[in-house]
Amino acid sequence: MEQKLFIYNTLSRKKEEFVPLHAPHVGMYVCGPTVYGDGHLGHARPAITFDIVFRYLKHLGYKVRYVRNITDVGHLEHDADEGEDKIAKKARLEQLEPMEVAQYYANRYHKAMEALNVLPPSIEPLASGHIIEQIELVKEILKNGYAYESHGSVYFDVAKYNKDHRYGKLSGRNLDDVLNTTRELDGQEEKHNPADFALWKCAQPEHIMRWPSPWSNGFPGWHCECTAMGRKYLGAHFDIHGGGMDLVFPHHECEIAQSVASQGDDMVHYWMHNNMLTINGTKMSKSLGNFITLDEFFNGTHPLLTQPYSPMTIRFFILQAHYRSTVDFSNEALQAAEKGMQRLMEAYNNLERIQPAGATTIDITGLRQKCYDAMNDDLNTPIVIAHLFDASKAINTVYDKKATITKEDLEELKSVFQLFLFDLLGMKEERGSDDAREQAYGKVVDMLLEQRMVAKANKDWTTSDKIRNELTALGFEIKDTKDGATWKLNK
């Protein structure tokens, strides 16, 4: 059955059927991390969200070019136009080359993404590697009359653009709202209008990241990079541009203005945004002391954490909520996600232990299409997970010998779990550095249970009970069946 995918377009504010501009090719651009500090839980959500989009589009048969950039220049301390470049500041304080700082944090980010089983993008461009393209973009906007030079910097003329087009159509703001909320900052005297944003900044003498341009030795404004790199790798018109909800304004709003001002029309067909992660109802912030890095989650070293959480627990936790809803972190929520993930993995592993029968006495009717329907409804991963939980209950009923299943239905369940849990949701069974030791423990437990079976056969109840009680005390759950005994380790 052909699947029709509907996604929520932030621009139109409604779900729309996904129809690629150049099928079967799909162009997708996602704003990646600003590489100047340790990756945190907030970095994980857009990466996982658009990993799901990437996986599902490929599954539907599209040839996807997925571009996810890294911002390594131009993202300033105070806002998009003022202050010191964050990478340059760290390089100055630690007496490093700026690219050393960028590479260090990029490596950490990639390591975390690999642990979270996030597929690498097709292309991962650096802002610093595309200065020429950004300069050309600024030239085009100047030529079309929507920008002006001031003291070696170039600013986008928001008021002039708004007369011919609508500035604010993505975020729903009007220009008066923008003017009333624009802060007075140093350097505003260079602008015609407080809402104007920098396309190119003249570098101060202490600024160590600088490039020559027709206007000054300086660096591009933050908003330029995605417009320039998106057009370079995906063309003047492409399908999907995504990122976190916090980027809707000003970053993505400015991107729309830049593309229209430079080429006359919008570059992007569908705008997609994931919502925020909070901690106990509060936005994650270093100043509030609730900023938790991914490494701290994996190691359990932050004071707010009661235990370490594996990368797959973090991934499952994020996928249990729809990408457009807010997710609030708590230890209790992560512990519940960990248990839920273990239930699904256990059910999947039980499929390998079930012996098929001549009839199916559980209801798994339409499971595959139910999961597809959820994915097609704006990538509703929590509904997919709910369907897999329902299937897990049925699997465990068969495993406990309270129902039966045919070979064909058993194979269908294996296939559905493989497709939706592993291939599309990107979950995987985690194997730690102690995996070989755990396998050895498993063999020992199996051997003890064999000895227990011999003891029971010989009616040596003392030995049989002792083996069971000792294993139970160590955290093993022993379940007797008519064919022997099964076990699992309660974590």
Side-chain angles (χ1 to χ4, degrees), residues 69-116:
N69 72 294
I70 288 182
T71 298
D72 62 348
V73 64
H75 199 293
L76 306 181
E77 276 291 340
H78 303 306
D79 75 349
D81 291 346
E82 304 298 334
E84 184 174 6
D85 185 287
K86 295 181 179 182
I87 290 179
K89 179 180 180 180
K90 194 168 186 69
R92 175 176 56 78
L93 292 175
E94 298 187 12
Q95 296 184 323
L96 298 170
E97 281 291 326
M99 290 302 102
E100 279 186 275
V101 177
Q103 190 66 57
Y104 172 77
Y105 287 112
N107 290 345
R108 289 172 65 92
Y109 176 75
H110 290 146
K111 184 178 178 181
M113 293 303 103
E114 183 178 357
L116 291 166

Side-chain angles (χ1 to χ4, degrees), residues 227 231 254-267:
T227 305
R231 185 159 63 187
C254 293
E255 279 196 61
I256 289 177
Q258 287 171 163
S259 67
V260 174
S262 62
Q263 66 184 39
D265 58 4
D266 287 338
M267 292 174 61

